């Protein structure tokens, strides 16, 4: 909001102060009498050129590596400028010979290109400055939102219920001298290590994130009876793909929180598909219990906000409930087009 206000002040400064002062360097008194149409066209051209630059934001296009758009834009503007140099001029003074007329035409041509360079340089300098400020503000907002999201995720995942249930299960396995006890301790240790060691990174390998989900699901299975069936489906065609850390855990935890029963048959399905940089993550669970209305649901909202900051315009997050089944589908285009 503050940056938008500053941009308006800069636009007003350009339109009401800088350009009027520069235009007064021209022979305005003579042109307004003999070449009124050209003078008005030149003024419209100057202001139009400035606002075209402000509208198209070439600095932003450059940072997005959209070089073709920049080249096409510059070719178009150079073409319009060249056409303006051929604007028909009318000199009424009979005392001017052909050489003087050619000199004046040359001066007008130089004037047009001078304004083109001045407006282009000023616009690009201003836009580059604004773009740097936008990037700084974006980074600050991203860091603040990331810290908020991580704190919320820590509260959601490392909560007393999860720890209590898991430790109770581990204790029971130890007392019964089960062969699964050692493996369960390893998985639990890996989960804790992952959450504290990886969550501060912006992007991590997808295979690592999925392994974290797999170990989390394995631990949850230890406390479930035969009434709840859990199905994991995985299809990944690129082991080098990367995603934001702890991206899927909110949906997985919700599936176990609201979709399990010790008395009624139910199932949880978790799927991950990656094909040609298009990621498709889904969860589906029977609704065995509902969230209390007084308790705000912040997990999915935080996920959506993180995605908007990290992958703007490259994801789609849909949730639905139908016929007693709650579904989540998250699709992400991992690479920009």
């Amino acid at each position: 909001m503050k940056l938008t206000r500053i941009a308006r002040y800069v636009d007003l400064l350009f339109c009401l102060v800088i350009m009027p002062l520069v235009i007064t360097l021209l022979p305005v008194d003579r042109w307004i009498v003999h070449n009124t149409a050209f003078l008005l066209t030149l003024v419209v051209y100057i202001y139009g050129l400035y606002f075209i630059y402000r509208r198209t934001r070439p600095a932003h296009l450059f940072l997005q590596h959209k070089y073709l758009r920049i080249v096409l834009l510059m070719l178009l503007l150079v073409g319009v400028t060249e056409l303006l140099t051929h604007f028909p001029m009318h000199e009424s003074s009979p005392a001017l010979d052909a050489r003087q007329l050619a000199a004046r035409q040359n001066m007008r041509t130089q004037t047009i290109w001078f304004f083109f360079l001045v407006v282009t340089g000023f616009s690009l300098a201003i836009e580059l400055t604004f773009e740097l400020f936008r990037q700084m503000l974006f980074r600050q907002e991203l860091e603040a939102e990331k810290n908020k999201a991580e704190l919320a995720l820590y509260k959601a995942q490392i909560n007393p219920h999860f720890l209590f249930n898991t430790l109770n299960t581990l204790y029971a396995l130890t007392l019964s001298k089960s062969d699964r006890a050692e493996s369960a301790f390893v998985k639990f240790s890996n989960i804790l290590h992952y959450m504290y060691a990886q969550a501060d990174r912006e992007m991590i390998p997808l295979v690592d994130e999925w392994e974290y989900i797999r170990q989390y699901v394995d631990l949850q299975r230890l406390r479930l009876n035969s009434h709840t069936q859990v199905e994991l489906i995985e299809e990944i065609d690129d082991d080098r793909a990367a995603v934001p850390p702890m991206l899927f855990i909110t949906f997985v935890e919700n599936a176990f929180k609201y979709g399990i029963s010790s008395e009624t048959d139910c199932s949880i399905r978790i799927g991950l598909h990656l094909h040609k940089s298009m990621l498709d993550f889904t969860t589906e669970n029977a609704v065995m219990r509902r969230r209390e209305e007084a308790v705000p649901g912040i997990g999915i909202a935080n996920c959506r906000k993180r995605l908007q900051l990290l992958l703007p315009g490259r994801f789609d997050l849909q949730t639905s409930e139908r016929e007693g089944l709650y579904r989540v589908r998250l699709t992400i285009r991992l690479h920009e087009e």
Side-chain angles (χ1 to χ4, degrees), residues 53-232:
Y53 282 128
R54 296 285 288 115
R55 179 71 175 177
T56 56
R57 296 171 58 186
H60 182 69
L61 295 177
F62 181 82
L63 292 177
Q64 289 188 322
H65 307 292
K66 296 180 179 179
Y67 306 121
L68 180 59
R69 291 189 184 182
I70 298 176
V71 171
L72 293 176
L73 173 66
M74 296 309 299
L75 288 176
L76 176 63
L77 295 179
V78 168
V80 172
T81 305
E82 179 61 26
L83 288 175
L84 187 60
T85 63
H86 298 285
F87 193 93
M89 307 295 289
H90 304 283
E91 296 289 350
S92 61
S93 175
L96 297 176
D97 57 24
R99 186 172 59 181
Q100 290 173 319
L101 288 173
R104 289 196 174 185
Q105 179 63 40
N106 185 56
M107 185 192 72
R108 295 186 190 104
T109 300
Q110 292 178 356
T111 299
I112 293 170
W113 285 109
F114 169 76
F115 275 106
F116 173 79
L117 295 177
V118 168
V119 175
T120 298
F122 180 83
S123 302
L124 293 182
I126 292 299
E127 187 55 40
L128 181 60
T129 303
F130 284 156
E131 193 61 37
L132 291 175
F133 274 112
R134 290 189 192 100
Q135 293 296 322
M136 291 172 58
L137 293 174
F138 173 80
R139 290 293 177 185
Q140 291 177 358
E141 182 183 3
L142 178 60
E143 189 64 29
E145 194 61 36
K146 182 181 176 183
N147 291 337
K148 186 194 300 182
E150 287 174 1
L151 179 59
L153 286 170
Y154 288 145
K155 289 180 178 179
Q157 271 66 262
I158 302 300
N159 58 61
H161 295 291
F162 173 67
L163 290 175
F164 180 77
N165 290 331
T166 304
L167 291 175
N168 263 350
T169 302
L170 295 175
Y171 179 66
L173 291 174
T174 303
L175 287 181
S176 63
K177 298 181 180 181
S178 171
D179 295 336
R180 296 184 297 169
E182 182 178 352
S183 175
F185 272 110
V186 171
K187 293 181 187 298
F188 185 59
S189 175
N190 289 340
I191 285 178
L192 296 181
H193 177 269
Y194 179 89
M195 296 182 72
Y196 285 99
Q198 304 292 343
D200 60 341
R201 297 169 58 185
E202 186 171 305
M203 303 292 283
I204 61 166
L206 175 62
V207 290
D208 292 349
E209 176 75 0
W210 183 247
E211 180 60 25
Y212 162 61
I213 296 297
R214 184 189 299 278
Q215 296 196 51
Y216 180 89
V217 170
D218 287 344
L219 273 180
Q220 292 285 0
R221 279 173 169 154
L222 294 177
R223 67 185 183 90
L224 301 176
N225 59 25
S226 59
H227 284 290
T228 302
Q229 302 297 319
V230 182
E231 181 181 2
L232 278 176

Side-chain angles (χ1 to χ4, degrees), residues 205-267:
L206 175 62
V207 290
D208 292 349
E209 176 75 0
W210 183 247
E211 180 60 25
Y212 162 61
I213 296 297
R214 184 189 299 278
Q215 296 196 51
Y216 180 89
V217 170
D218 287 344
L219 273 180
Q220 292 285 0
R221 279 173 169 154
L222 294 177
R223 67 185 183 90
L224 301 176
N225 59 25
S226 59
H227 284 290
T228 302
Q229 302 297 319
V230 182
E231 181 181 2
L232 278 176
I233 304 172
E234 168 197 351
E235 293 180 6
I236 300 176
D237 66 356
D238 184 5
D239 292 340
R240 298 172 298 176
V243 294
M246 301 176 69
L247 182 62
F248 309 127
I249 187 63
T250 298
F251 312 114
V252 175
E253 189 206 33
N254 283 344
F256 281 99
K257 186 174 182 180
Y258 301 110
I260 63 174
S261 173
S262 59
E263 301 175 350
T264 305
D265 289 343
C266 55
S267 63

Side-chain angles (χ1 to χ4, degrees), residues 23 26-28 31-32 35-44 87:
I23 291 173
L26 302 173
V28 177
W31 283 3
I32 201 167
N35 295 288
T36 306
F38 171 75
L39 180 61
L40 294 177
T41 303
L42 180 62
V43 172
V44 171
F87 193 93

